[in-house]
Amino acid sequence: MNLIPPPLAVTGSTGELGGRVAALLSAAGVKQRLLARTPRKAPPLDGATVLQAAYENTSGTRTALAGAETVFMVSASESRDRLEQHCDFVDAAVAAGVHHLIYVSFIGAAQDAVFTLARDHYATEEYIRASGLQYTFLRDNFYADFLPDLVGADGVIRGPGGDGKAAVVARADVARTAAAILREPGRHLGATYELTGPEALSLAEVAQILSNVGPRQVSYVDETVQEAYASRASYGAPQWQLDAWVSTYQAIAAGALENVSGDIERITGQPPMSLAQLLRS
């Protein structure tokens, strides 16, 4: 282990997005410290120093952050207290003397966002702004990787999405964009980027693409909001989670996710994958 950990810190390396970003940085020869709640689960990467830290303002987290100039902050797992976790981690970063926080937010983050979890992302952004830290916000659209999981056992996507569209983005494209930013973080101070796919798709169009590329025929049924809550009631999820699930579709119906941004190509020089390309890959 290096006596002085690298000045770049990456959270979420045990998960999908953070793990991809950490791997890309390692492949590019960038030294980094990986902050992990359970260090043994962190990936063994060249040039990486693994330190124990959680989204808490504790002495352990502050020690893990000490000397870090730039921190890549993947949003915490969805939970009722996610915003509190985010604020605690930001407080720890400030106390540790971190200079620049790069936060993975969500498209259309706003106090009154239709998608309920986007409100937490907005509140996190505002907390980071008020903290005095330099920042960069990566506002991702919904992950295209997740769309096959919306299909029920009967081959149907159900939800109150209407004819609205979403510019869904491949997680791999978000990861390579984040890695590019982390290689030259100073160029992106104060920036807010919208990371989207190359096209906006309705759920009916998503179903057709899944049918064309996948192993079975998929269709879309536009539920009412009441039907959506009723069809998900059997899962026994808490109310905040049900609201998040249903408002996913409501945000699509409202057009909150339809903007197609060129930020990924502008930052990386390579356009993002379409849903069909992702599925074929």
Side-chain angles (χ1 to χ4, degrees):
M1 178 181 293
N2 296 328
L3 293 177
I4 301 176
L8 171 62
V10 173
T11 72
S13 66
T14 60
E16 287 285 345
L17 179 60
R20 287 174 184 258
V21 171
L24 288 169
L25 292 171
S26 177
V30 178
K31 295 186 183 301
Q32 60 190 310
R33 63 179 81 177
L34 304 181
L35 307 184
R37 181 182 293 274
T38 308
R40 62 180 173 77
K41 293 183 179 180
L45 298 173
D46 290 340
T49 301
V50 180
L51 299 172
Q52 185 170 20
Y55 281 3
E56 303 167 345
N57 185 11
T58 62
S59 60
T61 298
R62 293 190 296 272
T63 298
L65 287 168
E69 297 175 6
T70 302
V71 176
F72 179 61
M73 180 184 173
V74 179
S75 52
S77 300
E78 295 177 4
S79 67
R80 184 184 298 277
D81 65 344
R82 177 162 70 166
L83 177 57
E84 181 180 341
Q85 294 179 52
H86 287 173
C87 294
D88 282 348
F89 185 75
V90 172
D91 289 343
V94 171
V98 170
H99 173 64
H100 183 191
L101 195 63
I102 298 172
Y103 172 64
V104 180
S105 186
F106 190 78
I107 204 89
Q111 190 172 17
D112 59 350
V114 177
F115 178 46
T116 55
L117 298 185
R119 302 170 193 172
D120 286 348
H121 285 293
Y122 172 77
T124 301
E125 289 184 5
E126 290 297 289
Y127 198 82
I128 292 170
R129 285 191 179 97
S131 73
L133 290 168
Q134 295 280 1
Y135 62 84
T136 304
F137 298 142
L138 309 184
R139 290 183 168 181
D140 304 353
N141 208 298
F142 283 123
Y143 288 140
D145 313 57
F146 178 66
L147 292 177
D149 295 332
L150 298 180
V151 184
D154 57 355
V156 178
I157 298 174
R158 288 183 169 83
D163 296 323
K165 297 188 175 187
V168 294
V169 63
R171 186 186 280 113
D173 286 324
V174 173
R176 66 184 181 82
T177 303
I181 290 170
L182 289 165
R183 287 196 292 271
E184 298 181 285
R187 295 181 57 189
H188 305 277
L189 294 175
T192 297
Y193 296 116
E194 292 189 351
L195 305 187
T196 76
E199 58 188 347
L201 301 170
S202 69
L203 290 172
E205 290 170 329
V206 167
Q208 186 59 58
I209 293 170
L210 291 173
S211 298
N212 294 341
V213 180
R216 59 175 174 168
Q217 290 298 301
V218 177
S219 61
Y220 168 59
V221 171
D222 183 25
E223 293 180 311
T224 66
V225 172
Q226 292 76 18
E227 289 170 339
Y229 274 102
S231 66
R232 290 155 177 79
S234 63
Y235 292 105
Q239 188 63 44
W240 71 264
Q241 186 71 73
L242 288 172
D243 293 340
W245 289 343
V246 175
S247 66
T248 298
Y249 296 90
Q250 291 176 291
I252 293 173
L257 309 176
E258 66 183 7
N259 181 58
V260 176
S261 163
D263 284 347
I264 287 178
E265 185 169 6
R266 278 190 287 271
I267 293 168
T268 68
Q270 178 183 336
M273 286 185 284
S274 67
L275 174 59
Q277 289 171 323
L278 172 65
L279 293 172
R280 291 191 177 100
S281 68

